[in-house]
Amino acid sequence: MAIKIILLIVFFAVMVGIGIYCRRSSTDVNGFVLGGRKVGPWLTAFAYGTSYFSAVVFVGYAGQFGWKYGIAATWAGIGNALLGSLLAWRILGRRTRIMTQHLDSATMPEFFGKRFDCKKLQVAASVITFVFLIPYTASLYNGLSRLFGMAFNIPYALCVIVMAILTGIYVIAGGYMATAINDFIQGLIMIGGIIAVVVAVLNTQGGLSAALDGMGRVVDESVSTTPGIFASFFGPDPINLLGVVILTSLGTWGLPQMVQKFYAIKNEKAVETGTIISTIFALVVAGGCYFLGGFGRLFSDQVNVAAEGYDAIVPTMLSGLPDILIGVVVVLVLSASMSTLSSLVLASSSTLTLDFLKVVVFKKMNEKKQLFCMRLLIVVFIAISVVIALVQYSSNVTFIAQLMGISWGALAGAFLAPFLFGLYWKKTTKAACWASFLFSTVVMIANMVARPIFPEILQSPINAGVFCMLAGLIIVPVVSLFTRKPDADFVEKAFSCYEQKVLVPKREALDTEN
């Protein structure tokens, strides 16, 4: 217990210290929200990765999907690395950085407002962002509480409140730079921690070969009668597994707190380097989490999934580890959760201030007032999410994965297609954006309150979220073809940023004329 407590005290002290140190870089809106657009590749890549993976993945998704799909759940981690990181950086990174600076937009809703010349679109996007980031935030606390309860036997409410307060302190003090530096440290902890934990858990089962052999002997006739199905390449349910891969990978392309990392990156070289770092980070962390969760059924004699839920699987797998490793796990999951929480509260407070209050309520708000509002809203957002987390925990409304599925489905479904087409296609219309916003929010709200009316395959929030994202990729181009075209001059000005000439050293580009 002393080791665990010392690790936590050191961890919290470093996080808060960095927040205080970064105060000087958060004296204006650009610095507080984007770090002055001068953030290097390592900080940006780790900020992207740590915002991506949290206790939701380590406890909720790894436990649930590892139980359902066995070792095949590892495909989710591979998809996160290739589709959610590598392709996201390659397709969105440069163009997002260039156009958002050209349009002088600091948030995703502000991008929509300026790219499509529509303040109402900006306001609507800010409301969607604020509302649907809350269930995601609540799911972070839930996952963390499971491990804290196992390691310290302390009340869930105390765990939630302490984490929320400490995260709020360093985000309010240092803004984006504080979160980026902390994310880097937290990311290193996550990489080392997940490798150590996977090795340790497999050793409790006799090593990798013995664990794989054990999974090959697992039989659950309610799922499949095929021998060895939980140790197979695609598992017992490849269709639903594909839905998990798409939601958790493609979904990042439309999440405000993820895409905003590209706004802040420093230069072209940082984008190229960051792409490699982010992909490797995702492969290790996400791949390790889902691979670990894939062995969950080997612990079926220690956990009653029907009574305790999927969220109890990973904590049960870890409960037999030595104290020092449990301490590492707690710091690992705390790192993952606090980094994601800091990203969420910063994205939410900045968009509500810049895209709602400044546009609708206080149209002449100066920079000092904007900073004050953002810091105040960080407190409000954290308080709301804490209350929801406590209510959810006491009433046992839903599992972690379902909370995250609702949030990701609504946000990515609403924003992914309009943002992607807005960066690449001049003919995208604001009517198409409205159609995508409306479709996904209605579908996900209906899925939350009236799930039985959906076809069986779409009753899962995860599958419903995937449906919304893929539908958006069809809705936006189709609606754009049949609605009023955007002003040609306005669009040309927006896209002119891609045609601007820049001088680079010959090590980066050959002189073709000679």
Side-chain angles (χ1 to χ4, degrees), residues 362-378:
F362 307 111
K363 298 183 179 181
K364 295 183 179 180
M365 186 187 296
N366 60 36
E367 195 148 356
K368 186 176 180 180
K369 290 182 179 178
Q370 291 174 42
L371 283 170
F372 174 77
C373 278
M374 279 188 276
R375 288 184 163 112
L376 178 63
L377 286 171
I378 287 172

Side-chain angles (χ1 to χ4, degrees), residues 140-393:
L140 298 180
Y141 299 119
N142 194 341
L144 190 65
S145 71
R146 296 279 184 169
L147 290 176
F148 262 75
M150 175 197 71
F152 297 100
N153 195 28
I154 60 175
Y156 172 60
L158 180 61
C159 167
V160 167
I161 293 169
V162 169
M163 174 183 162
I165 290 174
L166 292 171
T167 304
I169 288 173
Y170 78 73
V171 177
I172 290 170
Y176 184 84
M177 280 306 299
T179 65
I181 295 173
N182 275 328
D183 287 348
F184 179 73
I185 296 171
Q186 291 161 347
L188 293 175
I189 295 171
M190 290 167 67
I191 290 174
I194 194 64
I195 293 172
V197 168
V198 169
V199 171
V201 170
L202 291 181
N203 283 339
T204 65
Q205 301 298 313
L208 178 60
S209 297
L212 287 172
D213 181 65
M215 286 300 298
R217 299 173 186 275
V218 172
V219 177
D220 185 345
E221 294 186 357
S222 65
V223 177
S224 174
T225 56
T226 305
I229 192 67
F230 291 104
S232 64
F233 199 63
F234 291 117
D237 190 0
I239 299 300
N240 279 313
L241 176 59
L242 179 63
V244 173
V245 173
I246 294 174
L247 178 73
T248 61
S249 303
L250 189 62
T252 60
W253 296 34
L255 296 178
Q257 75 275 15
M258 301 295 296
V259 174
Q260 201 164 345
K261 302 296 185 291
F262 300 135
Y263 289 39
I265 199 164
K266 188 175 183 179
N267 53 33
E268 175 76 18
K269 184 64 177 176
V271 174
E272 294 175 0
T273 306
T275 302
I276 298 170
I277 298 168
S278 179
T279 303
I280 295 173
F281 182 91
L283 194 60
V284 173
V285 174
C289 285
Y290 288 111
F291 182 70
L292 174 66
F295 293 94
R297 285 182 178 265
L298 295 180
F299 297 81
S300 58
D301 59 328
Q302 301 174 39
V303 59
N304 185 346
V305 172
E308 301 176 66
Y310 295 113
D311 303 341
I313 296 172
V314 170
T316 300
M317 295 173 71
L318 304 175
S319 61
L321 299 181
D323 283 346
I324 184 65
L325 271 178
I326 290 180
V328 169
V329 169
V330 170
V331 176
L332 154 68
V333 179
L334 191 63
S335 297
S337 298
M338 289 182 71
S339 59
T340 305
L341 178 61
S342 65
S343 178
L344 294 176
V345 298
L346 188 59
S348 184
S349 65
S350 60
T351 193
L352 200 62
T353 300
L354 301 177
D355 305 315
F356 185 80
L357 295 178
K358 186 182 175 184
V359 174
V360 177
V361 184
F362 307 111
K363 298 183 179 181
K364 295 183 179 180
M365 186 187 296
N366 60 36
E367 195 148 356
K368 186 176 180 180
K369 290 182 179 178
Q370 291 174 42
L371 283 170
F372 174 77
C373 278
M374 279 188 276
R375 288 184 163 112
L376 178 63
L377 286 171
I378 287 172
V379 175
V380 172
F381 183 78
I382 287 177
I384 292 172
S385 62
V386 165
V387 170
I388 291 176
L390 294 176
V391 171
Q392 187 275 330
Y393 181 78

Side-chain angles (χ1 to χ4, degrees), residues 427-506:
K427 295 182 180 180
T428 310
T429 66
K430 62 182 178 183
C433 292
W434 281 114
S436 182
F437 288 7
L438 186 63
F439 179 83
S440 291
T441 52
V442 169
V443 168
M444 293 311 299
I445 290 173
N447 182 269
M448 186 166 52
V449 300
R451 192 161 295 153
I453 69 172
F454 281 74
E456 184 176 352
I457 193 171
L458 294 181
Q459 289 185 8
S460 162
I462 294 167
N463 290 342
V466 172
F467 171 71
C468 288
M469 282 189 287
L470 298 180
L473 294 173
I474 298 172
I475 290 170
V476 169
V478 170
V479 173
S480 294
L481 292 175
F482 293 98
T483 52
R484 183 180 177 182
K485 306 305 177 192
D487 180 78
D489 291 337
F490 178 84
V491 173
E492 288 301 324
K493 288 180 181 177
F495 277 78
S496 65
C497 57
Y498 298 135
E499 306 304 325
Q500 293 174 3
K501 305 298 182 182
V502 295
L503 297 176
V504 297
K506 285 190 176 182

